[in-house]
């Protein structure tokens, strides 16, 4: 398979040229308009899969520097500004967290945690669903790749459990026995866990960065405090909802705790590396939670965690070098953040906000708020990348909402939460989706229909219960 796809590349190039040569609208400087053209073309290329995300972002850097949109007439400064995203602390927070996540997988601690929860809760299919979900939730604060968390740790165990009870991927007549229910449930629990922590999924720190550009400060602890109530409510409700609308034929799974116990015996006693990984995990949580009081930045905390793992040889430098997902994420996050931040600095986001405000300015913020959230949520049908969606729309919609009087923290958090939740809609909606859908347990029609239902339920929980909770804790 060729890495670069010619038809999609030509479409992307055509869009770039079309926007570039259209005169900039009144109120928008030419440089901002040209950067917008590069940005739109990059996002479109990612959506169409014209080339890998990293390739598209390298092209974006080259075009940004070559066109000198960030520093007209100064080629040296142009390339410096085009690369400024690589020096952003948010980028390194998420990159280093990927390295830390490798420790959970390498030591086997992630699997041990999952089997422990299955041992405790696995006597029924519903209990098994909660056990797998709890494993994901516990790992979420320190494993920012929900693909690694869901696809690398939870999915293999979920599939193994399903097959142990006769629900086989290659036998469609057995899918509804257990595998189909656990597949959809594990995926949805992954999305809920992703929404609950700043480090729960890779795009959350990007939301933090865009919010800060508009003067809205979000910390690791404030995100966790905002998400804890709606997240736990969704965590409790969604397995029951799926149990009703997509029930497993097998209600009792009495052998699951025995299977988990056997797996734990095979793993043996907790190793020294697992203990060090667990200690590092608690140090990270403590420093992230108390960072504001101790004046320790979240990125600094991530560096501390990584150094502990390296000094104790839980991870080696070869492990760090081999973590391709982390380095890939650092590259394309840096570029997308650079372009989105620069658009804000050049006044494009403010102009767009004023434009939309002129169209719907007559609405109260209470009316505008659900409209913006629903537009953001359902527009995800058009995106195959959660990160591309966040990069394309988060800052713009946040700017629009704030200009209409919506409380900044309320909208910033809700858009951030939706950046995980909208993944439920499609089989390509978030990183782990292709892994779970690829099991074959759930057909396409069921995935989309059930995804719409669970998505609406989660939206209701986060907007109503979550909104009330944010009011109670004084965030607006």
């Amino acid at each position: 398979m060729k890495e670069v796809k010619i038809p999609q590349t030509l479409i992307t190039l055509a869009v770039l040229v079309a926007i570039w040569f259209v005169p900039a609208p009144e109120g928008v400087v030419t440089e901002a308009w040209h950067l917008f053209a590069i940005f739109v073309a990059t996002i479109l290329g990612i959506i169409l899969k014209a080339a890998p995300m990293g390739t598209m972002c390298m092209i974006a850097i080259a075009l940004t520097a070559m066109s000198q949109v960030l520093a007209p007439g100064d080629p040296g400064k142009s390339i410096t500004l085009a690369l400024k995203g690589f020096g952003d602390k948010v980028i390194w927070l998420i990159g280093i967290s990927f390295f830390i996540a490798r420790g959970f997988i390498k030591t086997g601690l992630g699997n041990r945690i999952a089997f422990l929860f299955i041992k405790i809760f696995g006597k029924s299919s519903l209990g098994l669903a909660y056990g797998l979900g709890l494993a994901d939730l516990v790992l979420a604060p320190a494993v920012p790749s929900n693909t690694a968390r869901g696809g690398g740790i939870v999915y293999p165990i979920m599939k193994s459990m399903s097959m142990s009870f006769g629900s086989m991927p290659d036998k469609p007549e057995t899918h509804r026995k257990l595998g189909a229910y656990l597949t959809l449930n594990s995926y949805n629990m992954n999305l809920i866990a992703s929404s609950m922590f700043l480090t729960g999924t890779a795009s959350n720190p990007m939301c933090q960065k865009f919010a800060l550009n508009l003067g809205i400060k979000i910390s690791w602890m404030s995100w966790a405090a905002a998400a804890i109530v709606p997240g736990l409510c969704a965590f409790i409700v969604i397995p029951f909802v799926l149990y009703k609308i997509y029930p497993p034929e097998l209600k009792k799974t009495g052998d699951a705790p025995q299977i988990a116990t056997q797996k734990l015996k095979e793993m043996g006693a907790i190793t020294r590396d697992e203990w060090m990984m667990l200690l590092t995990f608690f140090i990270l949580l403590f420093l992230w939670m108390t960072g504001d009081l101790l004046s320790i930045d979240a990125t600094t905390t991530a560096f501390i965690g990584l150094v502990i793992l390296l000094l104790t040889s839980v991870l080696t430098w070869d492990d760090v070098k081999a973590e391709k997902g982390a380095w890939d994420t650092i590259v394309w996050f840096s570029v997308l953040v650079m372009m989105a931040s620069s658009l804000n600095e050049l006044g494009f986001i403010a102009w767009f906000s004023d434009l939309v405000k002129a169209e719907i300015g007559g609405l109260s913020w209470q009316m505008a708020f659900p409209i913006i959230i629903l537009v953001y949520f359902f527009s995800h049908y058009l995106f195959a990348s959660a990160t591309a969606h966040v990069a394309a729309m988060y800052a713009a919609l946040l700017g629009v909402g704030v200009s209409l009087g919506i409380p900044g923290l309320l909208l910033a958090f809700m858009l951030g939460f939706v950046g995980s939740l909208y993944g439920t809609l499609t089989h390509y909606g978030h990183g782990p989706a292709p892994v779970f859908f690829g099991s074959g347990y759930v057909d396409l029609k069921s995935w989309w229909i059930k995804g719409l239902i669970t998505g609406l339920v989660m939206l209701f929980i986060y907007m109503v219960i979550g909104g009330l909770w944010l009011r109670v804790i004084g965030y607006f």
Side-chain angles (χ1 to χ4, degrees), residues 65-66 68 71-81:
M66 186 172 61
Q68 298 179 25
D74 190 342
K77 189 176 181 181
S78 293
I79 185 61
T80 299
L81 292 176

Side-chain angles (χ1 to χ4, degrees), residues 165-180 247-250 440-442:
F165 288 96
S167 190
M168 312 301 289
D170 57 346
K171 295 181 179 179
E173 67 275 10
T174 68
H175 288 176
R176 292 296 302 277
K177 190 173 183 180
L178 184 62
E249 295 172 359
L250 185 65
Y441 278 120
V442 184

Side-chain angles (χ1 to χ4, degrees), residues 142-455:
V143 183
S145 170
N146 61 344
T147 304
R149 206 169 64 239
I153 296 174
V154 174
Y155 170 74
I157 295 174
M158 179 222 80
K159 184 177 179 181
S160 175
M161 285 293 164
S162 298
M163 293 174 67
S164 296
F165 288 96
S167 190
M168 312 301 289
D170 57 346
K171 295 181 179 179
E173 67 275 10
T174 68
H175 288 176
R176 292 296 302 277
K177 190 173 183 180
L178 184 62
Y181 169 69
L182 288 183
T183 296
L184 276 186
N185 186 80
S186 295
Y187 176 58
N188 277 277
M189 298 296 249
N190 178 275
L191 298 177
I192 293 168
S194 298
S195 75
M196 292 179 66
F197 304 98
L198 180 63
T199 46
T201 189
S203 58
N204 289 353
M206 184 181 282
C207 299
Q208 178 197 36
K209 172 65 177 177
F210 294 156
L212 186 60
N213 289 343
L214 294 175
I216 302 169
K217 185 179 179 182
I218 296 173
S219 67
W220 192 95
M221 193 59 197
S222 66
W223 185 298
I228 186 68
V229 169
L232 289 179
C233 287
F235 189 88
I236 293 169
V237 169
I238 290 302
F240 273 110
V241 171
L242 284 170
Y243 197 76
K244 293 297 183 182
I245 66 174
Y246 203 55
E249 295 172 359
L250 185 65
K251 309 299 182 183
K252 299 295 182 181
T253 55
D255 291 339
Q258 286 72 31
I259 295 172
T261 299
Q262 181 59 37
K263 293 288 186 181
L264 289 169
K265 285 182 178 179
E266 293 173 4
M267 294 181 72
I270 299 180
T271 64
R272 173 257 184 195
D273 283 355
E274 286 181 272
W275 280 119
M276 291 307 307
M277 188 67 239
L278 192 60
L279 175 62
T280 304
F281 177 58
F282 283 120
I283 291 173
L284 286 168
L285 285 183
F286 175 77
L287 292 178
W288 275 327
M289 293 171 67
T290 61
D292 290 341
L293 296 174
L294 300 176
S295 298
I296 299 177
D297 184 83
T299 305
T300 304
T301 295
F303 269 105
I304 292 171
L306 176 60
V307 167
I308 292 173
L309 295 179
L310 288 171
L311 290 177
T312 56
S313 298
V314 173
L315 291 178
T316 66
W317 187 244
D318 285 338
D319 292 326
V320 173
K321 290 191 296 181
E323 191 59 36
K324 294 180 180 179
W327 295 113
D328 184 46
T329 300
I330 288 171
V331 169
W332 51 260
F333 256 49
S334 298
V335 179
L336 292 177
V337 166
M338 175 275 293
M339 288 192 290
S341 298
S342 297
L343 283 172
N344 181 61
E345 292 166 6
L346 291 171
F348 185 87
I349 300 298
W351 168 82
F352 179 78
S353 299
D354 290 341
L355 183 68
V356 176
K357 183 179 179 181
E359 298 296 324
I360 61 174
L363 296 176
S364 65
W365 77 259
Q366 291 87 349
M367 289 290 292
F369 172 60
I371 291 174
I372 288 174
I373 295 298
L374 289 171
V375 166
Y376 189 50
F377 183 79
F378 286 109
S379 62
H380 195 61
Y381 279 113
L382 304 176
F383 288 84
S385 165
T387 304
H389 195 177
V390 169
M393 297 183 69
Y394 181 92
L397 290 177
L398 182 59
V400 168
V402 170
S403 70
L404 291 171
I406 301 175
L409 274 177
L410 171 66
L411 186 57
F413 280 127
M414 285 300 166
L415 289 174
F417 300 154
V418 170
S420 294
L421 304 180
Y422 54 32
T424 190
L425 293 174
T426 66
H427 62 297
Y428 52 79
H430 231 282
V435 178
F436 283 100
F437 181 73
S439 69
Y441 278 120
V442 184
D443 63 272
L444 186 62
K445 180 181 178 181
S446 296
W447 191 287
W448 280 52
I449 293 175
K450 304 308 184 288
L452 177 60
I453 295 171
T454 53

Side-chain angles (χ1 to χ4, degrees), residues 98-120:
F98 269 82
F99 301 141
I100 295 169
R102 174 53 50 187
F104 280 96
I105 298 173
K106 181 182 178 182
T107 62
L109 182 60
N111 286 347
R112 188 181 295 276
I113 291 171
F115 284 127
L116 281 171
F117 281 121
I118 292 172
K119 180 181 177 180
I120 297 170

